[in-house]
Amino acid sequence: MTAAETLRDEILQMKRRRQLYSAGILVFLIAIVAGGYDQANDMNSGNFLNGLTQFFDYPGEIVAEAWDAGADFPALLVRFLPALIETLNIAAVASILGGLGAMVFAFLGASNLSVWPPLVPVARRMMDVMRAFPELIIALFLIYVLGTSPVPAMIAVAFHTTGALGKQFSEVNENIDSRAVEGLGACGASWLQRMRFGVLPQVLPNYLSYFMLRFEINVRASAILGFVGAGGIGTELRRTIGWGQGSGDETAALFVLLIFSIFLIDQLSSWMRQRISRTEAVT
Amino acid sequence: MTGVAMNGADMMGQAERRTIVRSVRRTARIGFGLLALMFVYLTYTWFAFDVPTLIDSAKPERAALLATDSVAYKVHVTRMLRRGTTAIAVEGERTATYSTPPDWIATDGDVLTVDLDDGYVARVFPTSVILDVPNYGSIRIAVQDGRVITDLPPGNRPDWLRVNDVKFDARPDLKRRVQVSRAKIEVHRYFLGWENFFFPFNSPLKAYSFGELLSLTFSAARLDPEVANWHLIYRTFWENPDWQHGNVFVALLETLLMAVLGTFTAALVALPLAFLAARNFTPSRTLRFFVRRLFDFVRGIDMLIWSLIFIRAFGLGPLTGALAIAFTDTGTLGKLFSEALENTDRKQVEGVSATGASKLQIYRYGVIPQILPIFISQGFYYLESNTRSATVIGALGAGGIGLMLVETIRTSRDWENTLYIILLTILLVIAMDAVSMRVRRRLTGGTTPP
């Protein structure tokens, strides 16, 4: 057998093995999904096929009741506006406080900025824990201690944001061009000056784009935490849904407000991020 | 600031220097302006959230109670005054009643002397209690003619006492408590630890040490003639009525199932749709527009609303949560995948097609290898975040560990159970985080996707 033939055989064999692996993984995935759905269907109180037929009942009911409300519907939207503002406030404050915390952690956790080297792994682990800690648990605990109020949700979301944004910020910090910092150092700039003139101008645009994305995520999280008693639009939703039939128009109004504001924030944040990356590319 | 500018001054013209200083000052002004704006906004929310009232109405003692109660258990000594019965039970539960009093309780006829540690002693008589408090004296509480009568020693009345005609409540610290009402006398003593964590109070297995249990597991001599020893041990542990290990485990599994199924489904549905939304694979502008709006739509509705709709249609259970996650994330992942597809390298695709490959082969060998790492790493990133989401969706009413957590907090009976559930939930999420991070690091160097 010539060398070329051996090589060809080897490649073919490798290809076959790869195909076998891929097929195996695919079969495994499908088995998990299929088995999982079967299991989930068994555990569920409602049956999948039954549910499928009822799937449009609820949205249909809400839309019908909203339609019946007719001219009163815009008034409902206005009535629930304060709840929406509360949810947005929760998200905004949580993003700001979490963002500030994230900046501190990001500087401590970036290995190239040498704030204090022994602290780098500590800061990173702390960010991991804050990121992984379920918001629900903090919110429920604080609601129990502080009572029903937007503050528990705000603290819970801010805590998670510190970890999540901190990780992204510290990755931004580690990817900066070190020449600016070194140049400033060569001119005799202090640590604070190096950060202020060498690091911040490089990282702030990226910070801002991650921040906008996080704000959108936080609006969703704040709305959902309202449902367990943290105030805002979620609490209103739980109330109207709890009343059952007859309050479909109010539920619909809340849905419209929530969907509309999320859509708006989504558009705003992606527009801002695009602008930021475009100015980045130019400079 | 000036130091940097001074050093550079020799090389630059005076005018240039002035321009630079001005621009630095301008950005500094903008920065300070933004900071001031943020401060104003935070002040506004301080009052919008009504933080001053919140600070007044907060119940920090609840946090202290929760902290002690979640790592301690109490033994109740209860005397029912009308029937004249006395019971000593862990957490006052009928199933955990001592048949012989523990050694810190001495009985002498009708009188029980309860040693409450640190010098506190409660003597329980048929219709009265004498509580000895160190550095204060003896408090005598008696129930007469349907009234609670309290004799306090002279001197300042301590603030941990609540006394009136129908109720006496003394809680000198978190370790002991004495309550008297017209119907009963109740003395609590707290102990550190999680009681009956492995086996229920009255199980015969409680008497054995860990080593003995281990040897019992493998011994042929049966404790219970009906079942094998390992099975008995497993069943007693799993069906422990106080801790409900079995139920907690099933709830955790439900939450995990929601996250895994939801993410996998979303990823599998989003992949083919992403091709339809990518500029370089779908020439039709209308189709692209339609698919992209579909992504925006399912994403915009938000997990909260999807969950509420699915809870209505499918009831309680993991299927509901899985579908809610799948719907939302089809939009998110679809958008991310289509962006990744638009960023694929044309050269590989052209290279494969130059060999005369069919369309399917071009996808298989030119495109898939490029996006597969992104596909898998994004999927795993969302798997981790969805585990957290699944706990919240559960709390909305979809079931799983989230609902269990809400229920145990709402009943606020046994905080040690709540802490147990919280710890397991955190462990689950952190484990998923570690798995997802490891997979992503191997594939792409571990950067966090947005």
Side-chain angles (χ1 to χ4, degrees):
Chain A
M1 211 189 281
T2 64
E5 274 173 344
T6 336
L7 192 66
R8 207 192 64 186
D9 278 359
E10 224 168 273
I11 289 174
L12 278 178
Q13 215 175 354
M14 250 161 72
K15 196 186 148 200
R16 262 200 299 275
R17 205 180 310 144
R18 265 197 82 124
Q19 274 174 343
L20 201 70
Y21 281 154
S22 319
I25 290 173
L26 204 66
V27 167
F28 179 66
L29 270 182
I30 290 170
I32 286 185
V33 172
Y37 270 114
D38 190 45
Q39 181 70 28
N41 198 15
D42 283 350
M43 286 167 133
N44 230 66
S45 60
N47 180 274
F48 180 71
L49 290 174
N50 275 340
L52 217 56
T53 56
Q54 293 162 8
F55 180 63
F56 291 104
D57 289 3
Y58 185 50
E61 192 183 299
I62 290 174
V63 170
E65 283 185 39
W67 186 258
D68 288 344
D72 294 338
F73 194 68
L76 279 177
L77 290 181
V78 175
R79 208 182 92 203
F80 287 123
L81 210 57
L84 177 69
I85 291 174
E86 186 163 78
T87 295
L88 293 180
N89 275 340
I90 294 173
V93 176
S95 305
I96 290 174
L97 295 184
L100 291 177
M103 275 168 84
V104 174
F105 274 98
F107 274 81
L108 294 178
S111 51
N112 56 337
L113 297 179
S114 62
V115 178
W116 192 30
L119 218 59
V120 170
V122 180
R124 284 188 183 170
R125 282 295 86 72
M126 277 177 74
M127 283 191 277
D128 282 345
V129 170
M130 283 194 272
R131 205 165 44 85
F133 215 91
E135 288 157 342
L136 176 72
I137 289 175
I138 304 175
L140 285 176
F141 170 73
L142 288 175
I143 287 171
Y144 180 73
V145 175
L146 298 175
T148 303
S149 147
V151 177
M154 191 273 287
I155 295 174
V157 176
F159 191 76
H160 175 71
T161 302
T162 305
L165 270 186
K167 191 156 190 283
Q168 288 168 330
F169 284 3
S170 76
E171 273 162 18
V172 172
N173 285 352
E174 291 189 340
N175 289 330
I176 56 163
D177 185 356
S178 60
R179 281 173 300 185
V181 186
E182 281 161 16
L184 282 166
C187 303
S190 71
W191 181 84
L192 209 65
Q193 285 170 334
R194 289 202 301 272
M195 295 300 128
R196 162 75 180 80
F197 295 103
V199 180
L200 277 188
Q202 287 193 59
V203 296
L204 274 183
N206 286 326
Y207 278 14
L208 195 64
S209 90
Y210 277 131
F211 177 84
M212 286 309 292
L213 208 62
R214 184 49 57 179
F215 175 59
E216 188 208 320
I217 296 171
N218 284 350
V219 172
R220 295 165 187 267
S222 315
I224 226 172
L225 284 180
F227 211 84
V228 294
I233 207 160
T235 307
E236 293 290 332
L237 255 180
R238 188 175 60 178
R239 194 173 53 80
T240 60
I241 285 178
W243 280 348
Q245 270 197 338
S247 57
D249 48 345
E250 297 188 348
T251 312
L254 287 167
F255 278 9
V256 167
L257 280 177
L258 185 60
I259 293 171
F260 185 69
S261 55
I262 284 179
F263 176 75
L264 216 64
I265 291 164
D266 185 33
Q267 293 298 315
L268 183 77
S269 107
S270 69
W271 176 76
M272 262 182 86
R273 277 180 290 125
Q274 253 166 24
R275 259 192 67 143
I276 290 165
S277 59
R278 204 174 299 144
T279 44
E280 273 286 87
V282 170
T283 46
Chain B
M1 196 193 283
T2 42
V4 181
M6 289 284 274
N7 280 341
D10 317 339
M11 288 176 276
M12 296 177 216
Q14 203 69 1
E16 265 178 272
R17 205 195 132 193
R18 224 174 288 137
T19 331
I20 290 173
V21 168
R22 205 180 300 139
S23 96
V24 166
R25 287 220 178 108
R26 202 172 61 96
T27 46
R29 259 205 303 278
I30 293 174
F32 280 120
L34 283 176
L35 276 179
L37 214 64
M38 203 169 76
F39 185 74
V40 170
Y41 176 68
L42 288 179
T43 320
Y44 151 71
T45 47
W46 178 270
F47 292 105
F49 288 169
D50 211 358
V51 180
T53 327
L54 188 74
I55 293 171
D56 281 346
S57 66
K59 302 186 181 70
E61 71 274 9
R62 279 191 162 184
L65 176 83
L66 206 138
T68 37
D69 220 46
S70 55
V71 292
Y73 68 99
K74 56 187 188 292
V75 177
H76 295 208
V77 180
T78 316
R79 174 156 282 179
M80 303 304 292
L81 296 175
R82 296 207 181 99
R83 271 175 280 155
T85 54
T86 307
I88 304 163
V90 177
E91 299 286 354
E93 286 190 40
R94 203 183 295 263
T95 49
T97 310
Y98 286 94
S99 47
T100 52
D103 54 7
W104 46 275
I105 298 177
T107 40
D108 178 20
D110 264 349
V111 183
L112 269 81
T113 308
V114 184
D115 180 8
L116 290 175
D117 209 26
D118 298 335
Y120 291 87
V121 178
R123 273 168 291 158
V124 183
F125 299 98
T127 58
S128 62
V129 197
I130 295 175
L131 175 63
D132 295 335
V133 181
N135 304 324
Y136 180 58
S138 296
I139 308 173
R140 186 173 178 281
I141 313 105
V143 179
Q144 272 172 13
D145 312 324
R147 284 176 60 216
V148 180
I149 299 158
T150 310
D151 287 332
L152 294 173
N156 286 337
R157 202 169 104 175
D159 55 0
W160 43 262
L161 272 178
R162 274 187 188 76
V163 182
N164 59 38
D165 268 0
V166 289
K167 189 151 173 86
F168 169 87
D169 187 353
R171 188 155 199 194
D173 49 44
L174 292 167
K175 283 169 73 183
R176 49 193 71 85
R177 184 176 197 176
V178 177
Q179 287 167 291
V180 181
S181 72
R182 285 178 296 182
K184 65 180 175 186
I185 297 168
E186 214 170 273
V187 180
H188 297 171
R189 181 174 167 178
Y190 288 78
F191 294 90
L192 206 64
W194 283 356
E195 88 288 7
N196 310 330
F197 181 73
F198 294 102
F199 304 117
F201 182 80
N202 45 15
S203 159
L205 293 168
K206 258 197 95 102
Y208 298 99
S209 73
F210 180 72
E212 285 170 329
L213 279 176
L214 206 63
S215 59
L216 260 179
T217 313
F218 300 106
S219 85
R222 289 184 168 185
L223 284 176
D224 181 344
E226 296 289 313
V227 290
N229 280 341
W230 69 266
H231 192 222
L232 179 74
I233 293 171
Y234 155 80
R235 216 176 57 187
T236 322
F237 170 74
W238 212 236
E239 291 167 5
N240 186 337
D242 290 339
W243 291 90
Q244 307 190 336
H245 300 288
N247 288 347
V248 172
F249 177 79
V250 169
L252 273 178
L253 198 74
E254 281 187 17
T255 300
L256 189 64
L257 203 62
M258 283 182 208
V260 172
L261 274 186
T263 316
F264 278 9
T265 314
L268 291 178
V269 175
L271 186 63
L273 286 179
F275 279 95
L276 294 180
R279 205 182 308 120
N280 44 348
F281 291 95
T282 306
S284 157
R285 193 181 262 265
T286 353
L287 184 60
R288 241 167 35 216
F289 180 81
F290 178 73
V291 176
R292 281 192 187 171
R293 287 298 84 79
L294 179 75
F295 288 158
D296 283 347
F297 175 73
V298 288
R299 224 160 60 86
I301 297 247
D302 191 39
M303 214 175 267
L304 171 62
I305 297 175
W306 281 125
S307 314
L308 295 176
I309 292 174
F310 280 113
I311 289 168
R312 269 296 179 93
F314 296 106
L316 195 96
L319 184 69
T320 309
L323 289 176
I325 290 175
F327 266 69
T328 322
D329 278 2
T330 301
T332 322
L333 287 174
K335 196 175 170 207
L336 288 170
F337 291 167
S338 69
E339 277 162 14
L341 281 171
E342 285 182 353
N343 290 332
T344 46
D345 195 349
R346 288 296 303 164
K347 277 177 265 175
Q348 281 192 41
V349 180
E350 279 160 14
V352 175
S353 65
T355 61
S358 71
K359 192 135 186 138
L360 208 68
Q361 282 171 324
I362 294 175
Y363 281 174
R364 168 68 186 82
Y365 295 101
V367 182
I368 296 278
Q370 284 193 59
I371 65 149
L372 201 62
I374 300 173
F375 175 71
I376 296 176
S377 78
Q378 300 275 25
F380 270 90
Y381 176 75
Y382 275 88
L383 181 62
E384 183 268 326
S385 92
N386 281 339
T387 315
R388 257 178 303 109
S389 305
T391 61
V392 187
I393 293 177
L396 302 183
I401 201 76
L403 191 62
M404 199 172 227
L405 191 63
V406 172
E407 277 169 359
T408 53
I409 288 186
R410 218 159 263 165
T411 53
S412 64
R413 196 176 58 94
D414 279 334
W415 286 106
E416 56 267 41
N417 280 355
T418 316
L419 183 67
Y420 176 56
I421 294 171
I422 287 177
L423 287 180
L424 285 179
T425 313
I426 294 172
L427 271 181
L428 176 74
V429 176
I430 287 182
M432 292 303 281
D433 184 42
V435 169
S436 132
M437 202 128 79
R438 182 156 294 185
V439 172
R440 282 184 290 131
R441 192 165 290 156
R442 285 188 73 157
L443 284 168
T444 57
T447 50
T448 319

